[in-house]
């Protein structure tokens, strides 16, 4: 459900950057999402295709990189992947004070586009 | 063809506004709680009971997030506290900007505690920082035990979890011990309060804890 707002927010950032960089057409956008955000790639793609109808984005592709959850144990320093049911507890020493070091990501990595020809 | 590397947080705009909200809440010494749950788990009823119990000691206001209606806001208003309604018009979560506008309309004089009742949803609201001091998540016994492992993020980030509708435990498959064990795995530092908004069971213990949090915030600002 929140995919639409995420894609809208992402496109606003690209739009602003494109105008600063004199880019008239965006061909590819790469975003990174962590597993814990529960953002669904299909819904993101759908939102992107629905919203990318203007001149800047028409025909652009969305690349989505998904990152799984990795935890870091504050007690013994172990890095581990929690099991299927998200047990945020160190399998090495059993400590529950763990930091989720990967899985929260929600960022726009980069985009590609064509510059406007001639002076802008 | 040019490639532009941005590495920019997509929710950066929201987080900036949330930080500003946090600064204004702190300057007024108001404890702000983001209250979240799935639809129908009993957030509004718990708020009613909490206001009845604490309303004389603590000055409370509520920001009510709702998709289209003001039904929840009307219920809270009847308890004699200030309510500001936000209709999200279909958006499934509150964002920091909506809270900024609602907060501007609140009379802050002597206010101790502000509840932000989020839209009923366990997925999207978890992503949006509103500037709150902490999050409280409600889960009810009629929803079943699997909500916690299914939506780990929202439970991982809660300071307190209210397990509502314990009066219905004999009529459901819900296992309170399993629920506490699941929370222990996902968020060992969460405070867990089994309670019933309908019968009032457990409300006292939750409210005492809450009162301690309100006083701690008042002292520290």
């Amino acid at each position: 459900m929140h995919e639409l707002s995420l894609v809208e927010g992402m496109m606003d950032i690209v739009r602003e950057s494109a105008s600063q960089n004199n880019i008239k057409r965006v061909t590819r956008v790469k975003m990174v999402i962590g597993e814990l955000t529960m953002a669904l790639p299909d819904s993101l793609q759908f939102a992107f295709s629905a919203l990318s109808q203007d001149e800047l984005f028409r025909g652009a592709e969305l690349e989505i990189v998904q990152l799984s959850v990795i935890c870091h144990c504050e007690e013994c320093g172990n890095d581990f992947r929690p099991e299927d049911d998200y047990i945020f507890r160190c399998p090495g020493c059993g400590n529950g004070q763990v930091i989720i070091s990967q899985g929260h990501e929600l960022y726009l990595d980069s985009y590609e586009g064509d510059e406007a020809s001639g002076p802008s | 063809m040019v490639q532009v590397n941005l590495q920019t947080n997509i929710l950066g705009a929201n987080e900036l506004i949330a930080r500003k909200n946090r600064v204004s809440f702190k300057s007024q010494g108001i404890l702000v709680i983001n209250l979240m749950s799935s639809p129908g788990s009993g957030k509004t009823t718990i708020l009613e009971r909490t206001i009845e119990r604490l309303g004389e000691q603590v000055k409370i206001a509520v920001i009510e997030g709702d998709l289209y209606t003001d039904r929840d806001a009307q219920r809270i208003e009847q308890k004699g506290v200030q309510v500001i309604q936000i209709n999200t018009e279909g958006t499934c979560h509150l964002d920091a900007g909506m809270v900024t506008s609602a907060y501007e309309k609140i009379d802050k004089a002597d206010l101790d505690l502000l509840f932000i009742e989020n839209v009923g949803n366990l997925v999207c609201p978890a992503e949006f920082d509103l500037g709150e001091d902490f999050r409280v998540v409600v889960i009810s016994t009629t929803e079943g035990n699997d909500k916690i492992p299914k939506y780990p993020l929202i439970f991982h980030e809660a300071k307190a979890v209210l397990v509502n509708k314990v009066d219905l435990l004999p009529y459901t498959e819900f296992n309170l011990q399993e629920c506490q064990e699941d929370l222990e795995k996902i968020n060992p530092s969460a405070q867990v309060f089994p309670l019933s908004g309908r019968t009032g069971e457990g409300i006292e213990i939750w409210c005492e804890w809450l009162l301690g949090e309100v006083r701690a915030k008042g002292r520290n600002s």
Side-chain angles (χ1 to χ4, degrees):
Chain A
M1 274 290 279
H2 59 324
E3 284 83 354
L4 194 66
S5 351
L6 298 182
V7 171
E8 265 181 321
M10 180 193 75
M11 289 172 77
D12 285 344
I13 300 169
V14 175
R15 210 168 268 127
E16 199 185 322
S17 165
S19 96
Q20 286 165 4
N21 290 290
N22 196 27
I23 287 167
K24 66 167 183 7
R25 194 168 193 110
V26 172
T27 50
R28 189 178 183 82
V29 181
K30 181 175 171 185
M31 72 187 289
V32 178
I33 53 170
E35 192 183 338
L36 280 175
T37 65
M38 293 198 160
L40 299 171
D42 284 353
S43 302
L44 292 168
Q45 291 290 1
F46 175 75
F48 187 72
S49 65
L51 293 170
S52 58
Q53 299 300 323
D54 60 344
E55 205 178 328
L56 181 66
F57 285 101
R58 198 173 300 132
E61 266 181 61
L62 175 64
E63 180 188 350
I64 299 168
V65 178
Q66 285 183 280
L67 297 177
S68 55
V69 179
I70 293 178
C71 295
H72 177 79
C73 174
E74 289 191 292
E75 188 67 31
C76 71
N78 183 17
D79 288 305
F80 64 96
R81 263 170 103 138
E83 293 163 38
D84 288 346
D85 53 350
Y86 295 108
I87 300 174
F88 298 137
R89 178 179 286 284
C90 178
C93 68
N95 179 40
Q97 296 305 321
V98 299
I99 298 169
I100 299 176
S101 48
Q102 182 179 292
H104 268 308
E105 295 76 7
L106 199 56
Y107 65 90
L108 167 62
D109 180 76
S110 59
Y111 70 94
E112 293 171 7
D114 300 321
E115 281 174 295
S117 45
S120 59
Chain B
M1 204 273 295
V2 258
Q3 181 176 336
V4 182
N5 291 313
L6 289 168
Q7 266 94 31
T8 306
N9 182 351
I10 293 170
L11 295 177
N14 183 72
E15 276 156 31
L16 203 67
I17 302 170
R19 276 206 287 278
K20 286 184 189 158
N21 286 351
R22 195 162 275 123
V23 171
S24 4
F25 300 154
K26 190 167 194 306
S27 71
Q28 304 272 353
I30 302 169
L31 181 76
V32 181
I33 296 178
N34 184 355
L35 185 63
M36 305 190 280
S37 78
S38 44
S41 65
K43 290 187 293 301
T44 313
T45 309
I46 291 172
L47 277 183
E48 289 172 321
R49 294 294 93 78
T50 304
I51 294 163
E52 285 164 9
R53 169 64 183 79
L54 292 179
E56 296 201 345
Q57 294 155 275
V58 173
K59 191 166 175 198
I60 304 173
V62 178
I63 293 176
E64 266 298 334
D66 217 323
L67 293 169
Y68 298 103
T69 73
D70 64 350
R71 285 168 187 240
D72 290 351
Q74 283 180 22
R75 284 173 56 187
I76 296 297
E77 211 153 34
Q78 282 173 3
K79 297 287 161 196
V81 301
Q82 231 188 130
V83 184
I84 306 291
Q85 170 80 39
I86 302 175
N87 276 130
T88 61
E89 307 292 340
T91 303
C92 49
H93 56 266
L94 294 179
D95 65 38
M98 296 178 195
V99 171
T100 309
S101 327
Y103 186 67
E104 282 166 4
K105 296 182 196 141
I106 292 178
D107 171 16
K108 270 84 101 184
D110 306 321
L111 191 64
D112 304 298
L113 173 60
L114 172 65
F115 277 106
I116 304 170
E117 183 176 341
N118 218 312
V119 180
N121 182 339
L122 289 176
V123 182
C124 319
E127 294 298 336
F128 292 83
D129 184 5
L130 305 178
E132 71 271 8
D133 285 285
F134 58 81
R135 299 171 168 196
V136 173
V137 179
V138 182
I139 175 176
S140 61
T141 60
T142 50
E143 292 169 63
N145 276 89
D146 60 355
K147 282 286 187 303
I148 298 166
K150 268 178 150 170
Y151 303 94
L153 181 61
I154 202 160
F155 289 102
H156 179 70
E157 303 200 335
K159 179 155 184 175
V161 176
L162 312 184
V163 185
N164 193 22
K165 308 188 190 178
V166 289
D167 54 316
L168 299 180
L169 273 172
Y171 311 104
T172 66
E173 302 294 316
F174 193 86
N175 183 328
L176 195 56
Q177 195 187 336
E178 190 185 322
C179 161
Q180 281 164 329
E181 285 167 7
D182 283 341
L183 282 169
E184 176 69 29
K185 289 174 195 160
I186 284 177
N187 181 356
S189 55
Q191 299 283 327
V192 184
F193 299 97
L195 50 81
S196 165
R198 195 172 73 95
T199 66
E201 179 186 347
I203 293 289
E204 185 66 29
I205 302 169
W206 144 247
C207 285
E208 265 172 31
W209 177 82
L210 183 59
L211 193 59
E213 293 294 321
V214 172
R215 293 198 169 137
K217 173 83 181 203
R219 274 197 299 275
N220 292 333
S221 46

